Amino acid sequence: MPAGMAFLAAITSVVYYHNIETSNFPKLLIALLFYWTLAFITKTIKFVKFCDNGVGFSQLRFCLTGLLVVLYGMLLAVEINVIRVRRYVFFKTPKEVKPPEDLQDLGVRFLQPFVNLLSKGTYWWMNTFIKTAHKKPIDLKTIGKLPIAMRALTNYILLNEAFEAQKNKRSSSPQGSRSIWRALCCAFGRPLLLSSTFRILADLLGFAGPLCISGIVHNVGKGNNTIRPQTKILGVFFISSQEFLSNAYVLAVLLFFALLLQRTFLQASYYVAIETGINLRGAIQTKIYNKIMQLSTSNMSMGEMTAGQICNLVAIDTNQLMWFFFLCPNLWAMPVQIIVGVLLLYYLLGISALIGAAVIIVLAPVQYFVATKLSQAQRSTLEYSNERLKKTNEMLRGIKLLKLYAWEHIFHSSVEETRQKEMTSLKSFALYTSISIFMNAAIPIAAVLITFVVHAHLTRKADFSPSVAFASLSLFHILVSPLFLLSSVVRSTVKALVSVQKLSEFLSSEEIGEEHDKSSELRSADNHSKYQAVPLKVVNRKRPAREDWNNYSSHMRRPINITEADDFCVKITNGFFTWTPEGPPALSNIDIRIPQGQLTMIVGQVGCGKSSLLLAILGEMQKISGNISWSRKRGAVAYASQKPWLLNATVEENITFESSFNKQRYKAVIDACSLQPDIDILPHGDQTQIGERGINLSGGQRQRISVARALYQQTNVVFLDDPFSALDIHLSDHLMQEGILKMLREDKRTIVLVTHKLQYLPHADWIIAMKDGNIQREGTLKDIQKSETELFEHWKTLMNRQDQELEKETTIEENPVLERTNLRRTMYSREALLKDDEEDEEEVTESDDEDNLSSVLHQRAKMPWRACGKYLSAAGILLLPLLLLSQLLKHTVMVAIDYCLALWTEHAISIKTEPEIKNCSQCMEFDHSQYSKVFSILCCLGIVLCLVTSIAVEWTGLKVTKKLHSSLLNKIILAPMRFFETTPLGSILNRFSADCNTIDQHIPATLECLSRSTLLCVSALAVISYVTPMFLIALVPLAIMCYFIQKYFRVASRDLQQLDDSTQLPLLSHFSETVEGLTTIRAFRYEAKFRQKLLEYTDSNNIASLFLTAANRWLEVRMEYIGACVVLIAAVTSITSCLYNKITSGLVGLGLTYALMVSNYLNWMVRNLADMEIQLGAVKRINGLLKTEAENYEGLLSSSQIPQNWPDRGEIQIQNLSVRYDSNLKPVLKHVNAHISPGQKIGICGRTGSGKSSFSLAFFRMVDTFEGRIIIDGIDIAKLPLQTLRSRLSIILQDPILFSGTIRFNLDPEKKCTDSMLWEALEIAQLKHVVKALPGGLDAIVTEGGENFSQGQRQLFCLARAFVRKTSIFIMDEATASIDMATENILQKVVMTAFADRTVVTIAHRVHTILNSDLVIVMKRGVILEYDKPEVLLEQEDSVFASFVQADK
């Protein structure tokens, strides 16, 4: 009774205290103060009385009273301390306590650091969050902000202080690996120590399981004699501690509490370690970003450090360190666990335990070897996977060409060949995985077998009771887990050491220079003070970049007077600049000045150092000597680099670039850069998201957006590096007049313009001419005309040539229009090309529907059983039954092994105890041989089945992955062109990359883990139910609880997992963007803004990771508490059954051992179920693509009915032809009729969207011909098999496409031609001299996309490719758009002579190219407008063709 009252009082006081805290009414504390004082005094009196009467530690009541005295004393001390510190109760002015700053901000929803101890330990605060997640999807808004202590900024400051401390200690090598480790330990060591303490406590409590099982089974074997207290003191019977602990029920309750505590400590250890790892990752990422901002540009430009290496450092190495910190506590906890485990086994079994433990320990290196091989196999798989993806990417990018040339099978087999190599690697990966799974399952069986057989036969008189056997069995299960973990921990440690080495090399790489560092402190004061908390900075590989931020002055806008000494903006005197300290100067003897508020042009040949000069002024190059001075402190410079750099943001955000939005200015800039027509075409106007590196825009569009950004900024200085390079003459002129002269010069800005367009020189106020890294001349145009007559004359001839080009350049088919055509084709349905506004609107709604579709796809479906069925059915009829049967058999045998052990030990103990009961001295010894044989056979069968199941799972995985990839590739390569125009390339690639990787490597392992943990739980519950059927009654409510917990958890876990992945992408792309655009960022002085963005992205990723961790802990705590309840119920019911002689003590041991197993595997079952659900999404998405309709490749005519050399003449008859891109879209060609005689040269022209390209595609059946027909040499092309039709015609597309490989492969992938034929084609295409000069000639390497050739050369290679085919019909679709006029004229003549006997259809970009044609077709909106000889059409005054030619002159 007193104990019950004390318990109630304790609960009441806790509730009371909690209410005082929540109501913030501390005066009520006085009641608690009285309670604790009285309790402490009364218990102390009682304790003293016990001492006086000689009651000692052997008595339970004495121990409990002593414990309560200590507890009440501590609570009283805490109470008095609270009152003293907070000045409560007896003080007039209590101290006001404000809640933490985080909790005042309603945006913080991660409450783990702020809740009370119980809520911390059980993650009770997560309940509301997980319930909410079930009702609506989790997004960044739902999870809120990170608490201040966990933000990247806070942790970066912490890490930086540790680095500084190390730097002061070791000035010699402040960034070495050792000092980095020391800094990391100094900054993040404390929480790791806490985590390790929790872990060791949890591991020690874990041993309570085997010990309690041993005690319970031993006691129930003796009949669990009820406690009879023998000692009577002060008139009360006292129970000794030993008597108390020899009661089975007491041990069951103790086991329950030990399990609760153990699981709570274990999850707390995991949580603290993962939280520390996440904080560390955020800090290191910020540190890397800071270093990037300070990196010397030469590191990037000279290839010492690539953008890829830096991104790997961020994406891979920081995660390696995070995982190392997570696994770190195991380094200390595992040795403790192993030592204690072996000692307990030795105590129970003697020498035979050491033999069993030796088996486990000896096999640990084998496991490590397997783990090493596994990671090697994974690495080689990754290499082949990357190669396959590269080929798949090329195949998808060039799919239009492959279809037109009927080369799908070549690229298909190329991808398949790489896939075969990848599959070989995957096979070894699967083999080592199955060995690893097999060893994990088989080692404990082998150890138990050897131990028990040795124990039974060698030590005849040894104790072989159920209590010893089942306690040993549990100990073996405990001992095996740290040894399995060992390989992971060792691997993780090795990876972390390598990562820190890489980090050390990166952090010690050369920086921009001390002067720049000092300047950053100055400038952050007047710029962006709100972001200045962390002095961070960033890098670029392609654009050598570097900045002397501080030595720059802002510029007064005033007219120049060159005689004044003070009116320059920048002046360089005697400057020598280099990219690398050791290298020769890239710029020498630089003496220039750039006048204030004027237009300065820098001209010179390619490679003479014009761009380098701009970068030298911006402080990006290393100064050997000389001086750069600005008239005033340098401010931001609006800089447009030669290679446009765009953010992965909307068009508007790219132009305004963090500046405030001014509608009028924005409109003017859009107009100056002629961007309005392009914006109109984009699906969401200027709110369209530009892909990474502007991937969904053409070169000209990227350049104009980059220039628009420079024009929009309100800076006094503007640097434009060759802004006209990708623009045609009209756009260049418009940009020069409206943008540079009107917007900038009239506004008295200082403009520095690097250009090759010499016709703009008259506009320049100041000209700097460069040659070979030197200044050839500077001054006004008049100065140069007087002093450098020769140079001026040279310029004049070039200017005239460029002016003539201006006249020749077409006004109709301009490059930007061409770009827009391409853009529309890539952005969405090509139907939009041919319509007016109303159809554009239709397209927009169509894309909106696609958005709705994607939101439907994101809906949170239930467990994807259908996808699971698809996955398993792909395994085939033989494998699936093998997989299921082997798993069921294995677990049946495992149960049989333990059941056999229960019978064996029970029989052994009964034989041993019988003589004692009968007082018989001569008694037969128990013969172990029969049982040991059966036990050995079952164990061996179990080991074999472990091998079979592990191989079956991996084999199934291999078969499924092979089948799914093969089906996917076949479907995609045969899909119609419309599919590729309406499905984003990235989406298709993701199926081949991320989804295939999931199916290849992750699903088999998860499937194995899920089936193992599920069947273990099921078999354990079955065994417990068999031992004590009463258990089934208690199982029902527990099962219902489990069901709801897993249901709620799965939904939250899936959302958080997706959020974790989706927040990682912007972070990594921000790093790569910063690296690419470092020069621009430093020129604009935007480091602080970009740093702030980084902190936001890092915090978003970290909060998602933290919530995911907390959700996992939430689940595991609950599942393990349910597991503990299972153990308690199983223990109580089995003890009761045993005491009433219903079951033997052996079965009690069996039931309890299995009950402990449930508590271990229950949460794994739910975790694997959640993982499986996410991973099956990959199967679901791939199945979605497998439903794609393929093109109809079959024809009505068989190959024997088609003449071998068809088409031999090249006669084309087009009869009433109407085509469309899709059955639900409007026609793009309407009732077209034409007749083309053999060998005729036909020119087709018309404005953009008139149907010219659709006309050419109709010959190849790339579009849907729903009316009319095309007859070539007497055969209707609709009757031909597609492969035959496309392989007999030739076409050159307007976009040049080259594939990585050799020149020979690009010209003739089918390997049908001789070398002489290839050289002849190259000669026709004016490329023979270029290829001859290359190492390897025809076998010279072409890089991905043909990047090692210019745009013009790529187009010429495409021409050569078409010439190689020697077909009698040849179509050129705006094929000379990228070629200069001189080369184009040569080509026109060659085509006329070399193809004199072939039919040539030319779709014209420049109208003058088709003046020599036999016939001209003029098209408008899908209808033929004019169709006659060019000379006839030119004579007609009102002809459209004549007006085109007139405009083209």
Side-chain angles (χ1 to χ4, degrees), residues 396-442:
L396 293 173
R397 284 186 185 283
I399 192 76
K400 185 174 182 181
L401 181 89
L402 301 186
K403 285 188 171 295
L404 289 168
Y405 275 62
W407 283 349
E408 301 104 307
H409 61 286
I410 298 168
F411 280 78
H412 177 274
S413 54
S414 168
V415 173
E416 275 292 3
E417 186 186 324
T418 314
R419 178 64 176 171
Q420 281 311 115
K421 291 178 190 169
E422 190 186 358
M423 284 305 293
T424 310
S425 199
L426 270 173
K427 275 173 189 163
S428 58
F429 176 78
L431 174 70
Y432 288 119
T433 307
S434 57
I435 291 171
S436 178
I437 292 169
F438 162 66
M439 286 181 78
N440 286 2

Side-chain angles (χ1 to χ4, degrees), residues 891-903:
H891 285 89
T892 310
V893 170
M894 301 297 265
V895 172
I897 291 169
D898 294 336
Y899 186 70
C900 175
L901 184 64
L903 292 177

Side-chain angles (χ1 to χ4, degrees), residues 347-361:
Y347 165 72
L348 286 168
L349 294 172
I351 198 80
S352 53
L354 298 181
I355 298 167
V359 170
I360 297 177
I361 291 162

Side-chain angles (χ1 to χ4, degrees), residues 18 24 31 35 54 96-97 219 234 239 365 369 418 423 452 611 693 696 832 864 1057 1061-1062 1110 1131 1134 1218 1230 1289:
H18 178 71
N24 200 12
Y35 174 75
E96 194 181 343
V97 183
N219 289 334
L234 302 170
I239 302 166
F369 168 76
T418 314
M423 284 305 293
F452 287 161
S611 297
R693 295 183 187 167
N696 49 356
Q1057 187 72 58
D1061 294 343
S1062 64
S1134 56
S1218 296
K1230 302 161 196 166
L1289 306 177

Side-chain angles (χ1 to χ4, degrees), residues 1219-1238:
V1219 302
R1220 59 193 171 195
Y1221 281 99
D1222 200 14
S1223 53
N1224 55 358
L1225 295 176
K1226 294 181 182 177
V1228 288
L1229 290 182
K1230 302 161 196 166
H1231 310 295
V1232 171
N1233 288 287
H1235 180 262
I1236 299 166
S1237 305

Side-chain angles (χ1 to χ4, degrees), residues 161 204 206 612 727 790 926 962 1052 1147 1348 1372:
E161 283 168 2
L204 292 176
S612 298
L727 311 185
E790 199 178 317
F926 177 67
K962 189 176 180 182
L1147 287 178
N1348 53 341
M1372 294 169 72

Side-chain angles (χ1 to χ4, degrees), residues 294-307:
Q294 295 165 324
L295 263 190
S296 159
T297 310
S298 59
N299 281 333
M300 307 299 292
S301 57
M302 306 315 288
E304 287 170 35
M305 199 169 288
T306 64

